[in-house]
Amino acid sequence: MNEQEGVSLTRRGMLAGTVLLGVGASALGSSLAQAATASPAAGPVPDLAKLERVSVELVAPPQVHPHSQRAPGKPRIVEFRMVIEEKELAVDSAGAYIHAMTFNGSVPGPLMVVHEGDYVELTLVNPASNSMMHNIDFHASTGALGGGELTHVKPGEQVVLRFKADRAGVFVYHCAPGGAMIPWHVVCGMNGAIMVLPRDGLKDPEGRPLRYDKAWYIGEQDYYIPRDKDGKYKRYANPMASFGDMSQLMKGLVPSHVVFNGSVGALTGKQALTAKVGETVLIVHSQANRDTRPHLIGGHGDYVWASGKFANPPQRNLETWFIPGGAAGAALYTFRQPGLYTYLNHNLIEAVMLGAAAHVQVEGQWNDDLMKQVQAPGPIR
């Protein structure tokens, strides 16, 4: 596939010629192609002109844009604008680079927050400086392949999509232009998450309100960066130039890196997350492609929605929780001791050797009742 083909192929054409889910390509491609050509039927739509409109400026992860934990009133139309950016990123300090495809310039893309019953209205911009066609598939939405079929934008175009956030939870979004382009765009960084809060806020298993002092968004990313015959990471002139080599590596299902927020060490050392003893933090964690097992060393998940869906009661006091590939989860934790915590994927090989780890530096006073070194290390007596 050459660069021009990569730009011009549509989702319809690629789906018709591939085995997407391990079943017959002909039947699956035909049915999806027919669905792709059909215009959405007009259905009942409330008078949206009567709804309040609010424009939200997105921020780069791990931070989350300001939002109300309880809906401030009636459903609204929440406007977002995301600009697709193709850019080369350093993945580690050992010479690994990737021509990332990003939403708003970050890996992962920004966390979007609305309330159940709100309408999400996204303006998706693909600047002329980019080389690829892109789109967006919201796992939170209903119809048109998650909106993917209605949002194909070539370089130099923009599109506006509106969907109703009709179920509460945290959900993945990602680029899904079709065929082999789907996994390639995702593992090149083009994914993020949206959080749809219940209108009356989060609740514990008994229905009592839960609140948080701050929220963090951690997007776990698997990269597949090829090496040359000498074992050095290969570097490419543009995204499409890497497609052939990367596709072969992807088929082996063995990532070269598994990282948090775009690169090894992105959330460690001087970039560590910070909190204070007594603060409650909501951690949203997504993995658009592979399973993951979040764990907070030195802490727990006080309340965990491992499946990410707030209509289900949270589990209590988890040590590690499981988030399947293509999903997002959420956990609440109140920090009780000061010091350094490590938040990681508890596949320790992926955390320690491939990069899926973050640090949390917590300030406050130590509580001897929770833990105390009774005797310092010394000679055996």
Side-chain angles (χ1 to χ4, degrees):
M1 181 182 295
N2 59 36
E3 183 172 353
Q4 182 59 37
E5 288 173 328
V7 174
S8 62
L9 278 174
T10 67
R11 187 184 188 109
R12 176 188 175 191
M14 287 186 286
L15 284 176
T18 190
V19 179
L20 186 62
L21 298 173
V23 298
S26 177
L28 179 64
S30 176
S31 62
L32 286 177
Q34 291 175 13
T37 59
S39 298
V45 177
D47 186 358
L48 300 185
K50 296 180 179 179
L51 297 186
E52 177 189 4
R53 283 183 172 268
V54 57
S55 180
V56 173
E57 184 173 350
L58 294 167
V59 300
Q63 306 308 320
V64 181
H65 65 79
H67 59 273
S68 300
Q69 295 181 40
R70 295 170 61 94
K74 295 180 180 180
R76 307 183 297 179
I77 300 173
V78 186
E79 301 172 348
F80 298 96
R81 185 176 190 268
M82 286 205 300
V83 179
I84 297 164
E85 185 177 355
E86 299 170 4
K87 58 192 289 188
E88 189 178 47
L89 294 178
V91 174
D92 63 19
S93 59
Y97 287 83
I98 188 166
H99 267 284
M101 294 178 260
T102 74
F103 292 107
N104 256 34
S106 65
V107 178
L111 182 70
M112 309 162 75
V113 184
V114 297
H115 293 87
E116 188 175 7
D118 286 344
Y119 290 85
V120 176
E121 189 167 290
L122 172 68
T123 300
L124 184 65
V125 181
N126 190 2
S129 56
N130 288 335
S131 64
M132 307 288 292
M133 180 180 68
H134 299 283
N135 70 347
I136 190 165
D137 168 1
F138 282 100
H139 289 193
S141 69
T142 301
L145 301 177
E149 195 51 53
L150 304 178
T151 54
H152 289 284
V153 278
K154 298 175 183 177
E157 295 181 341
Q158 72 173 43
V159 65
V160 180
L161 176 74
R162 185 185 69 236
F163 71 89
K164 188 173 185 177
D166 63 354
R167 60 200 65 212
V170 285
F171 301 82
V172 164
Y173 65 76
H174 61 88
C175 188
M181 294 289 111
I182 300 173
W184 182 51
H185 281 226
V186 170
V187 301
C188 284
M190 208 162 185
N191 58 84
I194 181 170
M195 179 163 67
V196 182
L197 288 167
R199 298 202 70 77
D200 57 351
L202 300 177
K203 300 290 181 63
D204 72 7
E206 288 72 43
R208 294 184 293 258
L210 292 171
R211 292 190 58 81
Y212 48 92
D213 297 301
K214 59 175 65 174
W216 298 327
Y217 172 39
I218 294 177
E220 187 170 334
Q221 180 68 47
D222 48 319
Y223 289 127
Y224 300 78
I225 303 177
R227 295 177 184 264
D228 63 19
K229 59 182 178 60
D230 298 318
K232 295 181 179 180
Y233 288 113
K234 299 178 74 171
R235 206 164 172 180
Y236 300 88
N238 54 64
M240 200 62 211
S242 69
F243 177 75
D245 290 344
M246 194 178 295
S247 294
Q248 291 304 310
L249 189 59
M250 287 161 56
K251 291 177 183 178
L253 303 179
V254 179
S256 59
H257 302 78
V258 181
V259 302
F260 287 171
N261 289 40
S263 63
V264 176
L267 300 176
T268 65
K270 293 182 179 179
Q271 290 77 43
L273 301 164
T274 60
K276 296 179 180 179
V277 169
E279 280 191 323
T280 298
V281 178
L282 178 68
I283 304 174
V284 176
H285 189 129
S286 69
Q287 224 303 4
N289 193 58
R290 301 175 80 242
D291 300 342
T292 187
R293 299 149 185 83
H295 174 85
L296 180 64
I297 300 178
H300 303 87
D302 289 342
Y303 298 92
V304 178
W305 298 265
S307 67
K309 306 307 168 273
F310 298 137
N312 304 318
Q315 294 177 276
R316 296 289 310 275
N317 302 325
L318 298 191
E319 55 183 315
T320 302
W321 45 102
F322 178 80
I323 300 175
L332 271 178
Y333 181 66
T334 301
F335 287 94
R336 303 174 66 189
Q337 294 279 38
L340 182 66
Y341 294 70
T342 299
Y343 179 88
L344 46 67
N345 173 344
H346 212 290
N347 178 324
L348 295 176
I349 299 166
E350 296 183 355
V352 177
M353 302 179 71
L354 298 185
H359 289 160
V360 182
Q361 190 67 52
V362 179
E363 297 180 354
Q365 186 172 349
W366 185 263
N367 184 342
D368 280 346
D369 184 51
L370 289 172
M371 181 181 288
K372 182 179 180 179
Q373 184 184 57
V374 178
Q375 178 180 322
I380 299 174
R381 292 183 292 179

